[in-house]
């Protein structure tokens, strides 16, 4: 449980206390600014690793205003890695433990959405990529490079290569502000070595996402290009907020109309939000009283997202070409 105190409250002023906007929020986990990277990983993402290896989809994303620590949580810093690297390490450790009974392949792609344009962070010279939906409504990025990796070290090298191409610029609110949404996709395929199920391949997909932060122009003092980026960032986060609200209010994935098409981000997150995925949203807020307003709004969206129910089924593909649920 989290108690967000209204900094304007004055216990000696009955009129003010009556108008208090103090509010309690209930989340699965609440961590303060002193929580270690390991603790954040253990309490949010670790539990997803085994399910990905056994063929389920999962998504982890960091959400919140600029400068509140999303990139710190997801990517971490030298010597104290964040969720991306901890997950890759755990994923390969888990695969190694069970590799006697099955053959595994792991591949990854890494993209950013910058000003509503998609760039391949592992192959930046490929220009802007198109987002397409197949007949079954599965979202795909045309032309993105997918790299097969044999161990955690290779994956982490690729991730670091991608990070060097990511768009980051200093703003008044954050010296290393992410100006794009970064999406790492890891696909784990596994085929049992046992004879009677050898023709079945299980596929689990993991999305790990470091969103750019919402921002107020006055706070960031952005002008020119930074302001244009900020407008794109805010627009896509607004689209995300609208999808979260619609999904939480109208009965989740059964809802008639969810505006996924309003931004590339929401199109890409379609499954994570309302479809076939175990999804963890890590909501970030500043501990500062000065950030009360944006903390409140952010937590309200986080609270709504908690009401969304996704329906997960295992990705199973038969060698003879058919697909089936499990
Ligand atoms: N828990 C923490 N402990 C120590 N430093 C932190 C922590 N969280 C964030 N920081 C530092 O605060 C600064 C802002 O964090 P970060 O860049 O992760 O924010 P952000 O939410 O990703 O911002 P933006 O949306 O602008 O990209 C960075 O210098 C980061 O290293």
């Amino acid at each position: 449980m989290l108690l967000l105190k209204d900094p304007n409250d004055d216990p000696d002023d009955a009129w003010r206390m009556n108008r208090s906007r103090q509010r309690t929020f209930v989340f699965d986990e609440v961590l303060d600014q002193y929580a270690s990277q390991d603790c954040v990983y253990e309490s949010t993402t670790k539990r997803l690793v085994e399910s990905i290896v056994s063929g389920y989809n999962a998504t982890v994303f960091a959400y919140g205003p600029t400068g509140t620590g999303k990139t710190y949580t997801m990517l971490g810093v030298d010597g104290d890695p964040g969720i991306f690297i901890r997950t890759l390490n755990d994923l390969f450790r888990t695969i190694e433990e069970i590799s006697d009974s099955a053959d595994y392949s792991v591949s990854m792609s890494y993209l950013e959405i910058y000003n509503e344009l998609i760039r391949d962070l592992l192959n930046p010279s490929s220009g802007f990529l198109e987002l397409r939906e197949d007949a079954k409504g599965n979202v795909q990025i045309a032309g993105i490079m997918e790299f097969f990796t044999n161990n955690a070290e290779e994956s982490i090298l690729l991730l670091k290569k991608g990070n060097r191409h990511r768009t980051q610029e200093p703003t008044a609110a954050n010296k290393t502000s992410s100006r794009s949404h970064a999406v790492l996709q890891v696909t784990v395929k596994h085929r049992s070595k046992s004879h009677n199920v050898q023709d079945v391949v299980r596929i689990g997909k993991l999305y790990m996402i470091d969103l750019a932060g919402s921002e107020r122009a006055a706070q960031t003092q952005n002008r020119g290009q930074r302001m244009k980026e900020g407008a794109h960032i805010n627009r896509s986060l607004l689209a995300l907020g609208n999808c979260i609200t619609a999904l939480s209010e109208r009965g989740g994935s059964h809802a008639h109309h969810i505006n996924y098409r309003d931004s590339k981000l929401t199109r890409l997150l379609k499954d994570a939000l309302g479809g076939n995925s175990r999804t963890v949203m890590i909501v970030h807020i500043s501990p500062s009283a000065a950030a009360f307003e944006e903390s409140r709004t952010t937590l309200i969206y986080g609270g709504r997202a908690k009401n969304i129910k996704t329906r997960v089924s295992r990705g199973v593909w038969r060698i003879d070409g058919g697909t089936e649920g499990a």
Side-chain angles (χ1 to χ4, degrees):
M1 192 185 298
L2 182 152
L3 176 68
L4 184 72
K5 290 192 165 175
D6 185 340
N8 295 319
D9 281 357
D10 177 356
D12 297 328
D13 183 341
W15 183 80
R16 268 211 172 285
M17 289 310 284
N18 276 338
R19 298 171 66 94
S20 172
R21 298 199 306 139
Q22 174 171 303
R23 185 162 164 178
T24 302
F25 296 87
V26 179
F27 294 106
D28 296 321
E29 300 280 348
V30 178
L31 302 164
D32 65 20
Q33 64 268 42
Y34 305 111
S36 66
Q37 295 278 37
D38 196 41
C39 169
V40 174
Y41 171 67
E42 294 258 344
S43 53
T44 59
T45 313
K46 191 178 172 60
R47 71 190 78 142
L48 298 176
V49 170
E50 276 190 19
S51 66
I52 298 151
V53 172
S54 53
Y56 291 94
N57 296 337
T59 306
V60 187
F61 68 97
Y63 175 86
T66 182
T68 49
K70 297 179 297 299
T71 304
Y72 186 87
T73 297
M74 297 310 282
L75 295 173
V77 286
D78 285 345
D80 198 8
I83 283 175
F84 279 33
I85 288 183
R86 284 171 199 272
T87 309
L88 288 170
N89 276 325
D90 243 8
L91 198 64
F92 280 98
R93 202 175 303 131
T94 309
I95 288 173
E96 211 165 291
E97 277 165 18
I98 46 177
S99 58
D100 283 348
S101 58
D103 289 321
Y104 280 89
S105 78
V106 179
S107 57
M108 58 189 264
S109 61
Y110 196 20
L111 63 87
E112 75 168 359
I113 307 176
Y114 172 67
N115 285 353
E116 277 301 278
L117 296 168
I118 297 177
R119 285 198 324 141
D120 187 343
L121 289 173
L122 299 181
N123 184 25
S125 58
S126 60
F128 301 123
L129 304 181
E130 289 294 322
L131 203 154
R132 294 196 187 134
E133 259 172 71
D134 67 16
K136 289 183 181 155
N138 298 316
V139 176
Q140 275 151 8
I141 312 291
I144 194 157
M145 292 278 268
E146 197 164 347
F147 290 82
F148 283 87
T149 59
N150 293 312
N151 50 49
E153 290 71 31
E154 274 179 28
S155 309
I156 292 164
L157 278 178
L158 276 173
L159 174 68
K160 289 187 171 167
K161 177 184 165 194
N163 287 336
R164 284 195 290 275
H165 296 297
R166 184 151 181 219
T167 311
Q168 278 192 330
E169 297 289 345
T171 68
N174 182 3
K175 262 195 319 202
T176 51
S177 185
S178 311
R179 311 306 291 160
S180 67
H181 308 301
V183 181
L184 179 72
Q185 187 190 321
V186 183
T187 305
V188 180
K189 288 187 187 165
H190 105 245
R191 186 175 171 187
S192 173
K193 287 181 179 168
S194 129
H195 285 297
N196 49 345
V197 282
Q198 237 176 5
D199 56 348
V200 174
V201 178
R202 298 222 150 101
I203 305 172
K205 282 191 181 163
L206 165 68
Y207 283 102
M208 294 192 278
I209 303 163
D210 177 25
L211 294 180
S214 56
E215 50 190 55
R216 285 180 292 160
Q219 173 204 18
T220 53
Q221 297 161 24
N222 288 345
R223 298 282 175 275
Q225 184 63 10
R226 297 290 85 76
M227 201 160 150
K228 184 179 157 203
E229 290 163 0
H232 278 291
I233 294 168
N234 284 348
R235 201 170 309 135
S236 58
L237 292 171
L238 180 67
L240 174 63
N242 288 342
C243 285
I244 290 175
T245 304
L247 282 162
S248 65
E249 279 175 357
R250 295 187 227 157
S253 49
H254 306 297
H256 293 302
H257 188 62
I258 310 292
N259 275 336
Y260 293 114
R261 300 194 74 81
D262 276 1
S263 74
K264 298 252 165 66
L265 177 66
T266 44
R267 287 178 71 187
L268 205 63
L269 282 178
K270 189 174 152 196
D271 247 356
L273 293 172
N276 176 16
S277 173
R278 294 188 167 145
T279 300
V280 173
M281 177 180 187
I282 308 177
V283 176
H284 289 69
I285 55 167
S286 160
S288 164
F292 173 76
E293 264 324 317
E294 58 188 7
S295 300
R296 192 167 179 276
T297 320
T298 305
L299 292 170
I300 288 172
Y301 277 119
R304 284 181 192 156
K306 215 176 155 316
N307 296 328
I308 300 174
K309 303 259 180 297
T310 55
R311 280 211 240 161
V312 289
S313 64
R314 211 193 303 230
V316 180
W317 190 75
R318 299 192 68 83
I319 298 293
D320 59 17
T323 53
E324 55 183 62

mmCIF file of all heavy atoms in Angstrom, residues 33 65-72 174 176-178 212-213, ligand 1:
data_model
loop_
_atom_site.group_PDB
_atom_site.id
_atom_site.type_symbol
_atom_site.label_atom_id
_atom_site.label_comp_id
_atom_site.label_asym_id
_atom_site.label_seq_id
_atom_site.Cartn_x
_atom_site.Cartn_y
_atom_site.Cartn_z
ATOM 1 N N GLN A 33 12.950 4.623 -2.721
ATOM 2 C CA GLN A 33 14.124 5.006 -3.537
ATOM 3 C C GLN A 33 15.410 4.318 -3.095
ATOM 4 O O GLN A 33 16.433 4.428 -3.762
ATOM 5 C CB GLN A 33 14.317 6.537 -3.537
ATOM 6 C CG GLN A 33 14.649 7.163 -2.196
ATOM 7 C CD GLN A 33 13.404 7.615 -1.438
ATOM 8 O OE1 GLN A 33 12.399 6.906 -1.408
ATOM 9 N NE2 GLN A 33 13.480 8.778 -0.837
ATOM 10 N N PRO A 65 7.033 9.877 -14.989
ATOM 11 C CA PRO A 65 7.520 11.167 -15.489
ATOM 12 C C PRO A 65 9.020 11.161 -15.736
ATOM 13 O O PRO A 65 9.741 10.291 -15.241
ATOM 14 C CB PRO A 65 7.183 12.144 -14.349
ATOM 15 C CG PRO A 65 6.187 11.448 -13.500
ATOM 16 C CD PRO A 65 6.441 9.988 -13.653
ATOM 17 N N THR A 66 9.482 12.154 -16.478
ATOM 18 C CA THR A 66 10.906 12.265 -16.779
ATOM 19 C C THR A 66 11.733 12.386 -15.493
ATOM 20 O O THR A 66 11.298 13.019 -14.520
ATOM 21 C CB THR A 66 11.171 13.475 -17.725
ATOM 22 O OG1 THR A 66 12.553 13.516 -18.031
ATOM 23 C CG2 THR A 66 10.764 14.805 -17.108
ATOM 24 N N GLY A 67 12.873 11.704 -15.505
ATOM 25 C CA GLY A 67 13.822 11.829 -14.398
ATOM 26 C C GLY A 67 13.505 11.009 -13.159
ATOM 27 O O GLY A 67 14.172 11.157 -12.124
ATOM 28 N N THR A 68 12.502 10.122 -13.226
ATOM 29 C CA THR A 68 12.128 9.389 -12.014
ATOM 30 C C THR A 68 12.841 8.035 -11.886
ATOM 31 O O THR A 68 12.598 7.302 -10.917
ATOM 32 C CB THR A 68 10.592 9.159 -11.947
ATOM 33 O OG1 THR A 68 10.156 8.641 -13.204
ATOM 34 C CG2 THR A 68 9.845 10.435 -11.626
ATOM 35 N N GLY A 69 13.703 7.686 -12.852
ATOM 36 C CA GLY A 69 14.522 6.476 -12.683
ATOM 37 C C GLY A 69 14.133 5.284 -13.522
ATOM 38 O O GLY A 69 14.536 4.158 -13.232
ATOM 39 N N LYS A 70 13.403 5.507 -14.623
ATOM 40 C CA LYS A 70 12.983 4.374 -15.464
ATOM 41 C C LYS A 70 14.191 3.693 -16.113
ATOM 42 O O LYS A 70 14.312 2.474 -16.074
ATOM 43 C CB LYS A 70 12.002 4.850 -16.552
ATOM 44 C CG LYS A 70 10.703 5.425 -15.989
ATOM 45 C CD LYS A 70 9.766 5.916 -17.073
ATOM 46 C CE LYS A 70 10.331 7.051 -17.887
ATOM 47 N NZ LYS A 70 10.639 8.271 -17.123
ATOM 48 N N THR A 71 15.072 4.510 -16.724
ATOM 49 C CA THR A 71 16.239 3.925 -17.382
ATOM 50 C C THR A 71 17.151 3.283 -16.339
ATOM 51 O O THR A 71 17.731 2.217 -16.569
ATOM 52 C CB THR A 71 16.992 5.016 -18.189
ATOM 53 O OG1 THR A 71 16.063 5.598 -19.111
ATOM 54 C CG2 THR A 71 18.168 4.438 -18.958
ATOM 55 N N TYR A 72 17.247 3.900 -15.185
ATOM 56 C CA TYR A 72 18.056 3.338 -14.096
ATOM 57 C C TYR A 72 17.524 1.941 -13.738
ATOM 58 O O TYR A 72 18.284 0.996 -13.579
ATOM 59 C CB TYR A 72 17.983 4.271 -12.887
ATOM 60 C CG TYR A 72 18.878 3.875 -11.753
ATOM 61 C CD1 TYR A 72 20.195 4.306 -11.698
ATOM 62 C CD2 TYR A 72 18.410 3.055 -10.723
ATOM 63 C CE1 TYR A 72 21.035 3.941 -10.657
ATOM 64 C CE2 TYR A 72 19.230 2.679 -9.677
ATOM 65 C CZ TYR A 72 20.534 3.123 -9.646
ATOM 66 O OH TYR A 72 21.352 2.752 -8.614
ATOM 67 N N ASN A 174 16.475 16.220 -16.634
ATOM 68 C CA ASN A 174 17.282 14.999 -16.545
ATOM 69 C C ASN A 174 18.475 15.111 -17.488
ATOM 70 O O ASN A 174 18.301 15.286 -18.692
ATOM 71 C CB ASN A 174 16.397 13.784 -16.919
ATOM 72 C CG ASN A 174 17.155 12.469 -16.791
ATOM 73 O OD1 ASN A 174 18.309 12.435 -16.371
ATOM 74 N ND2 ASN A 174 16.488 11.387 -17.168
ATOM 75 N N THR A 176 20.457 12.888 -18.593
ATOM 76 C CA THR A 176 20.516 11.828 -19.606
ATOM 77 C C THR A 176 19.100 11.364 -19.952
ATOM 78 O O THR A 176 18.755 10.211 -19.764
ATOM 79 C CB THR A 176 21.332 10.620 -19.097
ATOM 80 O OG1 THR A 176 20.809 10.254 -17.803
ATOM 81 C CG2 THR A 176 22.805 10.925 -18.986
ATOM 82 N N SER A 177 18.292 12.299 -20.420
ATOM 83 C CA SER A 177 16.887 11.978 -20.670
ATOM 84 C C SER A 177 16.730 11.109 -21.923
ATOM 85 O O SER A 177 17.307 11.404 -22.964
ATOM 86 C CB SER A 177 16.108 13.275 -20.839
ATOM 87 O OG SER A 177 14.745 12.984 -20.963
ATOM 88 N N SER A 178 15.959 10.015 -21.803
ATOM 89 C CA SER A 178 15.671 9.174 -22.966
ATOM 90 C C SER A 178 14.623 9.890 -23.793
ATOM 91 O O SER A 178 13.538 10.176 -23.293
ATOM 92 C CB SER A 178 15.117 7.822 -22.523
ATOM 93 O OG SER A 178 15.928 7.267 -21.534
ATOM 94 N N ALA A 212 10.168 6.530 -22.702
ATOM 95 C CA ALA A 212 10.576 7.912 -22.439
ATOM 96 C C ALA A 212 9.601 8.464 -21.398
ATOM 97 O O ALA A 212 8.476 7.979 -21.266
ATOM 98 C CB ALA A 212 10.505 8.718 -23.726
ATOM 99 N N GLY A 213 10.037 9.488 -20.657
ATOM 100 C CA GLY A 213 9.188 9.984 -19.563
ATOM 101 C C GLY A 213 8.240 11.082 -20.011
ATOM 102 O O GLY A 213 8.566 11.879 -20.891
HETATM 103 N N1 LIG B 1 17.397 4.437 -7.390
HETATM 104 C C1 LIG B 1 18.358 5.267 -7.846
HETATM 105 N N2 LIG B 1 19.544 5.353 -7.219
HETATM 106 C C2 LIG B 1 20.512 6.191 -7.682
HETATM 107 N N3 LIG B 1 20.384 6.989 -8.760
HETATM 108 C C3 LIG B 1 19.229 6.945 -9.421
HETATM 109 C C4 LIG B 1 18.155 6.091 -9.017
HETATM 110 N N4 LIG B 1 17.120 6.267 -9.864
HETATM 111 C C5 LIG B 1 17.534 7.182 -10.752
HETATM 112 N N5 LIG B 1 18.787 7.597 -10.493
HETATM 113 C C6 LIG B 1 19.535 8.611 -11.250
HETATM 114 O O1 LIG B 1 18.629 9.705 -11.516
HETATM 115 C C7 LIG B 1 18.837 10.220 -12.843
HETATM 116 C C8 LIG B 1 17.537 10.147 -13.651
HETATM 117 O O2 LIG B 1 17.199 8.766 -13.805
HETATM 118 P P1 LIG B 1 16.772 8.129 -15.211
HETATM 119 O O3 LIG B 1 17.564 8.694 -16.342
HETATM 120 O O4 LIG B 1 16.785 6.667 -15.014
HETATM 121 O O5 LIG B 1 15.288 8.696 -15.290
HETATM 122 P P2 LIG B 1 14.178 8.390 -16.412
HETATM 123 O O6 LIG B 1 12.910 8.180 -15.689
HETATM 124 O O7 LIG B 1 14.638 7.302 -17.306
HETATM 125 O O8 LIG B 1 14.135 9.775 -17.176
HETATM 126 P P3 LIG B 1 13.691 10.099 -18.708
HETATM 127 O O9 LIG B 1 12.249 9.785 -18.816
HETATM 128 O O10 LIG B 1 13.969 11.570 -18.848
HETATM 129 O O11 LIG B 1 14.561 9.267 -19.585
HETATM 130 C C9 LIG B 1 19.970 9.384 -13.460
HETATM 131 O O12 LIG B 1 21.177 10.085 -13.279
HETATM 132 C C10 LIG B 1 19.971 8.100 -12.622
HETATM 133 O O13 LIG B 1 21.243 7.483 -12.597
#
